[in-house]
């Protein structure tokens, strides 16, 4: 076990010491020589493995924020301690600090009993953050406490975990080959007001091949016989250790990718990041199958100025019955009501602009090997959304492991930020010979879903990193700084109304 943990630590060298200690504490017996130190550490941190803040709709929390904490099983949920903004000012003015503090009980989130031992090591806790909070802590850990009254900087990333699937192995021990911890630090250095995550946290879906132990030796592996791939340990390795600095920097709107479908990493997502109370939504049925769930579409408003608001509409496109997404199937009809809900939530209103956030792109292209024709992906979602995107300014997704902008005439620009750390696509990013929802001979795929004209603009890059979006003066105008893992800008894209162009 110790060598396994060493390998984790090598692959996530930037992760916080507190989190690494936490992993050691509950994953391995404590040697006698270090028992005293461990006991002192445990007492000082109240056993909190991670504390973070997720963005939720006002129907769940009036402040749009909910605190989460990950704890070891067997320990009680900690309290969420907050200092209100007005009282904080009073403290600065030498008034009494005692009246400014509040303690809020956190409620336990419990994984489903049918997840067997996969999540027996941890529990999650939740409590809504009140509005007007200046600072918040769980144990000794600070967590993002508020959304500012005017949002000025938004970080966007997706597709982040270290890929281990059969013989397809990313070098999880290399911070160059898997730079998520560096991406996370760079985002924290940029001090965003909020982070938008466009899905695909979890990628440790196989055991590490014995001949590749230098790359992924000791990686947490799935429990054989269960109809899903994740465990508490794989979520620590893929998310909480490498993303510690990101999670402490700003509230995260944590979208769900196909890697969080219930037959993959959905149990961890339900426990840790799902906005609703049901932490067991993905637990296997009594007949031993993984459920096929689609979470309801929801929205949250991010004010830009007193007369301008960004409405982010969050749609779940994680689940799909077939493994591929390049064919039109009956799933399009299943998914379509969720796009109708997105259309309703994005209804036009003065001063409001809307982005659709989901995982699968509606107008996206994966990189292909040289000489191979490219094609539009996520065909079921493109069909499901057909005719329902007119209220949106931008479509923001992940799924393809690259950064990309595609512009279909008459449609909101598609922006893809699936370059957050998972092994990048390889090959060329090039325009297909036909528009979305047409076959390779140019004929519509279905009489039910009108085909689109081909894109008039395509930009793409195979490079790790993330985006920082900042609003410009005019309504619907944004600057997207595309930064590499070290935080250096490599491209600037400007959005105006529904159009995006990169320099
Ligand atoms: Fe992905
Ligand atoms: Fe994906």
């Amino acid at each position: 076990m110790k060598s396994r943990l060493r390998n984790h630590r090598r692959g996530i060298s930037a992760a916080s010491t507190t989190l690494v200690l936490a992993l050691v504490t509950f994953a391995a017996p404590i040697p006698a020589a270090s028992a005293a130190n461990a006991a002192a550490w445990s007492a000082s941190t109240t056993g909190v493995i991670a504390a973070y803040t997720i963005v939720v709709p006002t129907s769940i929390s009036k402040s749009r924020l909910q605190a989460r904490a990950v704890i070891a099983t067997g320990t009680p949920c900690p309290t969420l301690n907050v200092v209100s903004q007005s009282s904080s000012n009073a403290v600065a003015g030498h008034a009494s600090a005692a009246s400014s503090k509040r303690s809020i009980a956190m409620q336990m989130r419990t994984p489903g009993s049918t997840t067997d031992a996969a999540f027996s090591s941890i529990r999650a806790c939740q409590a809504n953050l009140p509005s007007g909070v200046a600072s918040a802590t769980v144990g000794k850990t600070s967590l993002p406490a508020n959304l500012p009254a005017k949002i000025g900087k938004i970080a966007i990333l997706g597709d982040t975990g270290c890929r281990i699937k059969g013989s397809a192995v990313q070098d999880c021990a290399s911070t160059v080959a898997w730079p998520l911890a560096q991406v996370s630090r760079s985002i924290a250095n940029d001090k965003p007001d909020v982070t938008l995550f466009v899905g695909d946290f979890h990628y440790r879906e196989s055991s590490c091949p014995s001949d590749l132990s230098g790359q992924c030796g000791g990686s947490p592996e799935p429990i054989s016989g269960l109809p899903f791939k994740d465990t508490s340990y794989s979520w620590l390795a893929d998310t909480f250790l490498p993303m510690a600095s990101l999670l402490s920097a700003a509230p995260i709107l944590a979208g769900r990718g196909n890697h969080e479908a219930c037959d993959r990493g959905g149990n961890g997502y339900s426990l840790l990041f799902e906005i609703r109370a049901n932490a067991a939504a993905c637990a296997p049925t009594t007949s031993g199958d993984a459920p096929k769930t689609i979470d309801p579409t929801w929205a949250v408003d991010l004010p830009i100025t007193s007369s301008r608001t960004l409405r982010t509409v969050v749609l779940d496109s994680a689940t799909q019955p077939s493994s591929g997404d390049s064919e039109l199937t009956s799933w399009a009809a299943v998914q379509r009501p969720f796009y109708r809900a997105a259309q309703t939530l994005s209804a036009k209103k003065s001063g409001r602009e809307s982005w659709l956030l989901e995982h699968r792109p509606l107008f996206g292209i994966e990189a292909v090997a040289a000489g191979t024709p490219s094609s539009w992906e996520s065909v079921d979602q493109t069909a499901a959304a057909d005719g329902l995107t007119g209220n949106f300014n931008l479509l923001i997704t992940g799924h393809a492991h690259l950064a990309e902008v595609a512009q279909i005439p008459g449609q909101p620009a598609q922006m893809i930020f699936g370059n957050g750390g998972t092994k990048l696509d390889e090959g060329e990013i090039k325009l297909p010979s036909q528009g979305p929802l047409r076959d390779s001979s140019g004929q519509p795929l279905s009489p039910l879903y009108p085909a689109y004209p081909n894109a008039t603009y395509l930009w793409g890059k195979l490079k790790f990193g993330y985006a920082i979006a900042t609003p410009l003066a005019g309504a619907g105008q944004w600057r997207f700084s595309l930064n590499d893992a070290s935080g250096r800008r490599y491209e600037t894209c400007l959005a105006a109304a529904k159009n995006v162009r990169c320099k």
Side-chain angles (χ1 to χ4, degrees):
M1 179 60 81
K2 278 186 181 172
S3 64
R4 298 174 72 177
L5 291 167
R6 260 199 304 276
N7 279 321
H8 280 308
R9 295 175 69 171
R10 203 151 51 92
I12 45 167
S13 57
S16 79
T17 305
T18 303
L19 285 165
V20 173
L21 279 170
L23 184 61
V24 171
T25 301
F26 70 76
I30 301 168
S34 63
N37 285 343
W41 168 81
S42 179
S44 69
T45 62
T46 64
V48 176
I49 298 162
Y52 50 102
T53 303
I54 63 169
V55 177
V56 299
T58 53
S59 57
I60 291 178
S61 172
K62 285 196 172 67
S63 70
R64 299 161 290 161
L65 297 178
Q66 187 176 89
R68 293 277 169 100
V70 183
I71 58 169
T73 298
T75 58
C77 276
T79 53
L80 169 65
N81 300 304
V82 301
V83 178
S84 69
Q85 282 173 334
S86 56
S87 298
S88 178
N89 293 336
V91 171
H94 308 291
S96 168
S99 62
S100 67
K101 296 178 180 174
R102 284 172 61 190
S103 292
I104 301 168
M106 299 189 87
Q107 305 301 315
M108 192 168 284
R109 296 173 64 85
T110 303
S113 58
T114 51
T115 61
D116 200 352
F119 289 90
S120 60
S121 299
I122 61 169
R123 292 289 180 268
C125 305
Q126 69 174 55
N128 287 346
L129 275 156
S131 298
V133 166
S135 65
T137 54
V138 172
K140 300 275 186 183
T141 307
S142 295
L143 62 161
N146 57 58
L147 287 166
K150 294 178 182 176
I151 299 286
K153 192 183 282 189
I154 300 174
I156 311 172
L157 81 163
D159 302 84
T160 47
C162 190
R163 183 186 285 282
I164 305 174
K165 188 173 185 179
S167 59
V169 170
Q170 190 171 359
D171 187 350
C172 310
S174 164
T175 54
V176 175
W178 185 49
L180 176 56
Q182 189 186 26
V183 167
S184 171
R185 273 201 316 277
S186 296
I187 289 176
N189 288 339
D190 283 337
K191 296 184 170 52
D193 296 319
V194 63
T195 297
L196 308 181
F197 187 84
V198 289
D200 278 5
F201 287 100
H202 186 270
Y203 277 83
R204 295 176 193 250
E205 300 191 301
S206 299
S207 56
C208 182
S210 57
D211 60 335
L212 294 175
S213 60
Q215 296 187 19
C216 54
S219 179
E221 54 194 58
I223 296 178
S224 65
L226 294 179
F228 59 88
K229 305 292 187 187
D230 57 339
T231 69
S232 51
Y233 298 101
S234 63
W235 275 89
L236 292 169
D238 256 356
T239 300
F240 290 105
L241 292 169
M243 295 175 77
S245 42
L246 180 160
L247 291 171
S248 67
I252 183 169
L253 192 164
R256 181 186 184 198
N258 60 310
H259 278 250
E260 288 79 55
C262 293
D263 59 350
R264 303 181 85 175
N267 281 287
Y269 181 82
S270 299
L271 178 65
L272 303 160
F273 286 106
E274 159 65 44
I275 61 170
R276 292 164 200 86
N278 184 6
C282 268
T285 63
T286 50
S287 55
D289 299 319
K292 297 188 189 307
T293 62
I294 306 178
D295 294 335
T297 306
W298 59 281
V300 66
D301 287 339
L302 302 173
I304 308 301
T305 67
S306 56
S307 59
R308 181 182 175 194
T309 295
L310 172 64
R311 170 160 286 196
T312 55
V313 178
V314 185
L315 184 142
D316 178 7
S317 56
T319 300
Q320 184 151 322
S322 59
S323 56
D325 57 2
S326 59
E327 294 173 9
L328 183 57
T329 77
S330 58
W331 191 254
V334 177
Q335 186 89 70
R336 190 162 174 80
F338 297 83
Y339 287 95
R340 285 197 195 284
Q343 183 190 38
T344 301
L345 286 167
S346 60
K348 293 207 166 136
K349 184 179 172 186
S350 176
R352 187 164 80 189
E353 53 205 76
S354 297
W355 294 357
L356 179 63
L357 299 185
E358 64 166 311
H359 180 61
R360 298 182 201 254
L362 300 182
F363 308 115
I365 302 160
E366 290 183 344
V368 292
T372 305
S374 65
S375 60
W376 297 98
E377 64 176 335
S378 319
V379 175
D380 278 339
Q381 282 70 30
T382 309
D386 206 337
L388 302 175
T389 56
N391 295 336
F392 289 103
N393 289 66
L394 301 174
L395 311 172
I396 300 198
T397 75
H399 196 46
H401 295 173
L402 42 66
E404 187 174 286
V405 175
Q407 189 87 54
I408 302 285
Q411 292 295 313
Q414 172 73 61
M415 305 188 81
I416 303 177
F417 302 113
N419 56 337
T422 301
K423 193 172 187 303
L424 294 169
D425 282 2
E426 294 176 349
E428 302 175 346
I429 304 166
K430 59 183 182 183
L431 200 60
S433 57
Q434 69 290 335
L437 300 182
R438 293 183 191 275
D439 64 21
S440 57
S441 65
Q443 296 304 306
L445 288 175
S446 164
L448 297 176
Y449 305 107
Y452 290 91
N454 210 351
T456 49
Y457 178 77
L458 176 68
W459 173 92
K461 192 90 171 173
L462 296 166
K463 191 178 190 72
F464 286 123
Y466 61 98
I468 294 287
T470 50
L472 301 176
Q477 295 183 351
W478 292 80
R479 179 193 298 112
F480 287 81
S481 175
L482 275 51
N483 298 347
D484 66 16
S486 72
R488 198 172 306 121
R489 179 185 305 172
Y490 65 87
E491 188 74 33
T492 299
C493 302
L494 296 176
K498 293 171 184 277
N499 300 310
V500 174
R501 291 293 182 271
C502 303
K503 291 178 180 172

